[in-house]
Amino acid sequence: MRDVFDLADELGPAKVLHIHVPRVGLKAILVVDNVAAGPSIGGVRMAPDVSLTECARLARAMTLKNAMAGLPHGGGKSVIFADPKMPAAEKEELVRAFAGALRHEVQYIAGPDMGTNEQCMAWVHDEIGRSVGLPRELGGIPLDQLGATGWGLAHAVKAALPFCDLDLKGARVAVQGFGSVGYHAARFLAAEGAVIVGASDSRGTVYREKGLDVAALSQLKSEGRPVTDYRQGEASGPDDIIDVECDIWIPAARPDVITEQNAEHLQTRLVAQGANIPLTSGAEELLHQRGVLALPDFVANAGGVICAAMEYHGATQTAAFDAIAEKLTHNTTQVLKAATEERIPPRAAAVRIARERVRKAMATRRWGGMV
Ligand code: NAD
């Protein structure tokens, strides 16, 4: 196994913690990557099989995402090694023990991630008074229900349109993964005249050249039915969404869905990455060579963490959504301007801008902002 120090560089990680509470069988890790801009925010993942280096990479991704979003927060990530589908009472005991172990780790603010949700964040908050992604009753802003990430993605798309010569009115959109991010992005884009020609979930793809009714699709999903039950569309397998001819392709499902092997199947002008790392770096390079604009995930899908940070600072839902719109528009434009001027892929420009912001924040801190 690679040591976490193999990944270390001038930005971090600042701290790595192994947590063991034998009485409740808790085994967990925390990586605080960088706190120069402020306490780190990052999700608590509950899964049996995440390596320390993967946790460190996810923490770094949060440092860059939070810096790109211009938040007063660094990046961190934690993992509780357990099956997220365990009985609720056992899960509560583990999460509460985990929170207790982090009582003095004030440079880390926990948020929901794969395997944890707002109920888990409520338990963390009850133990140590420090978490984001809380239920509304505790001052939370229900970001998945409201579509914070989809809202941000829609603004990133709008800011990108001039860079790929597109008009939103009549633009054909295909969405892979009709969950929280995919549905809300489709909803916001359709409201401004885009035509949702394709949508998929884990069970299949539905295509309709004249456009799909987003509300009707959402109704199907809320009944637990697949998108392929949509009556007027052509149904096919889940991977067929990749071949749908469109202007804007939105991956909002899983990591690594577009690789060097299938990147040439994409027939689109703009890829707006809602999921985390849906494209391999090789695939992004191939798309760049073909003149397809790929908006990097950590720029385009920051709506959720912006909402969480605004919640932490006591903002209202309206203020949070205004901040998401402003930040995503500004940051997408800045990244694409730099990429265009320097003829480099958008990700290269985004990473450079985010790293530069972290470096500047570190220069203002006595210990470089390390914990
Ligand atoms: P979700 O569980 O609500 O939705 C995921 C959707 O993807 C589901 O409809 C599922 O059926 C579908 N799916 C799964 N496998 C698929 C496949 N092989 N092909 C097509 N569809 C498939 O999850 P979400 O909250 O919408 O998150 C989607 C992605 O975006 C995840 O990668 C997540 O990490 C990332 N993300 C989410 C947020 C957020 O605010 N929720 C923020 C940033 C990034």
Side-chain angles (χ1 to χ4, degrees):
M1 194 177 96
R2 284 181 74 195
D3 191 272
V4 74
F5 285 121
D6 292 347
L7 296 176
D9 63 12
E10 58 182 330
L11 303 191
K15 188 183 248 187
V16 175
L17 203 66
H18 285 78
I19 299 156
H20 186 205
V21 182
R23 196 173 59 80
V24 294
L26 171 71
K27 286 185 179 156
I29 49 174
L30 164 69
V31 177
V32 175
D33 184 54
N34 188 289
V35 295
S40 65
I41 289 188
V44 183
R45 186 162 289 193
M46 186 178 282
D49 57 355
V50 182
S51 70
L52 179 58
T53 48
E54 195 176 341
C55 183
R57 277 209 303 274
L58 292 165
R60 170 57 54 83
M62 288 309 297
T63 297
L64 297 180
K65 187 185 286 197
N66 293 345
M68 193 71 235
L71 295 173
H73 293 284
K77 200 84 178 183
S78 58
V79 179
I80 298 176
F81 297 106
D83 176 1
K85 294 196 179 89
M86 70 173 66
E90 277 174 43
K91 192 163 182 173
E92 177 172 355
E93 195 171 42
L94 270 193
V95 171
R96 284 185 181 276
F98 172 73
L102 297 187
R103 188 173 307 281
H104 301 295
E105 297 305 323
V106 294
Q107 297 288 1
Y108 176 63
I109 301 163
D113 197 84
M114 284 155 69
T116 61
N117 57 15
E118 61 175 38
Q119 173 63 71
C120 298
M121 292 309 112
W123 293 326
V124 174
H125 192 264
D126 187 39
E127 294 294 328
I128 61 172
R130 181 172 16 94
S131 64
V132 290
L134 289 165
R136 208 190 268 282
E137 299 69 34
L138 297 178
I141 305 174
L143 60 94
D144 276 339
Q145 193 187 321
L146 298 168
T149 302
W151 171 250
L153 204 56
H155 283 83
V157 164
K158 285 197 279 180
L161 295 172
F163 294 90
C164 45
D165 237 355
L166 274 175
D167 192 348
L168 197 51
K169 276 221 163 8
R172 295 162 304 160
V173 178
V175 182
Q176 181 190 50
F178 206 74
S180 169
V181 174
Y183 156 60
H184 287 291
R187 177 168 74 88
F188 291 122
L189 291 170
E192 298 208 34
V195 182
I196 313 302
V197 293
S200 72
D201 57 24
S202 56
R203 290 186 271 177
T205 295
V206 62
Y207 172 77
R208 185 167 184 255
E209 196 184 346
K210 284 189 184 154
L212 302 160
D213 178 356
V214 175
L217 274 181
S218 163
Q219 178 63 30
L220 281 178
K221 294 301 292 176
S222 66
E223 292 165 11
R225 293 163 63 192
V227 291
T228 45
D229 274 5
Y230 187 91
R231 277 206 276 158
Q232 293 123 322
E234 288 167 38
S236 57
D239 288 345
D240 291 322
I241 190 75
I242 296 170
D243 296 281
V244 169
E245 206 181 317
C246 59
D247 301 303
I248 303 167
W249 197 78
I250 299 181
R254 304 177 49 240
D256 294 333
V257 290
I258 303 296
T259 63
E260 285 101 312
Q261 278 69 48
N262 64 4
E264 67 184 33
H265 288 242
L266 282 181
Q267 305 171 67
T268 191
R269 310 260 288 282
L270 174 65
V271 178
Q273 302 181 35
N276 291 320
I277 45 168
L279 276 63
T280 63
S281 52
E284 275 194 1
E285 187 56 48
L286 286 176
L287 290 176
H288 179 64
Q289 285 163 16
R290 274 176 47 200
V292 177
L293 202 60
L295 286 182
D297 50 0
F298 74 93
V299 179
N301 73 15
V305 75
I306 296 170
C307 191
M310 295 292 285
E311 171 191 307
Y312 189 72
H313 295 282
T316 62
Q317 184 178 310
T318 308
F321 272 62
D322 285 351
I324 294 168
E326 184 190 321
K327 284 172 181 291
L328 269 288
T329 304
H330 174 267
N331 293 333
T332 305
T333 306
Q334 185 185 8
V335 165
L336 294 183
K337 261 191 185 157
T340 310
E341 278 164 23
E342 297 167 44
R343 296 171 182 268
I344 54 175
R347 183 172 297 273
V351 168
R352 201 199 55 215
I353 291 167
R355 288 185 76 97
E356 190 53 35
R357 287 185 187 175
V358 179
R359 258 189 237 109
K360 279 188 179 161
M362 290 175 83
T364 67
R365 304 290 301 270
R366 181 143 61 124
W367 304 111
M370 293 309 199
V371 279

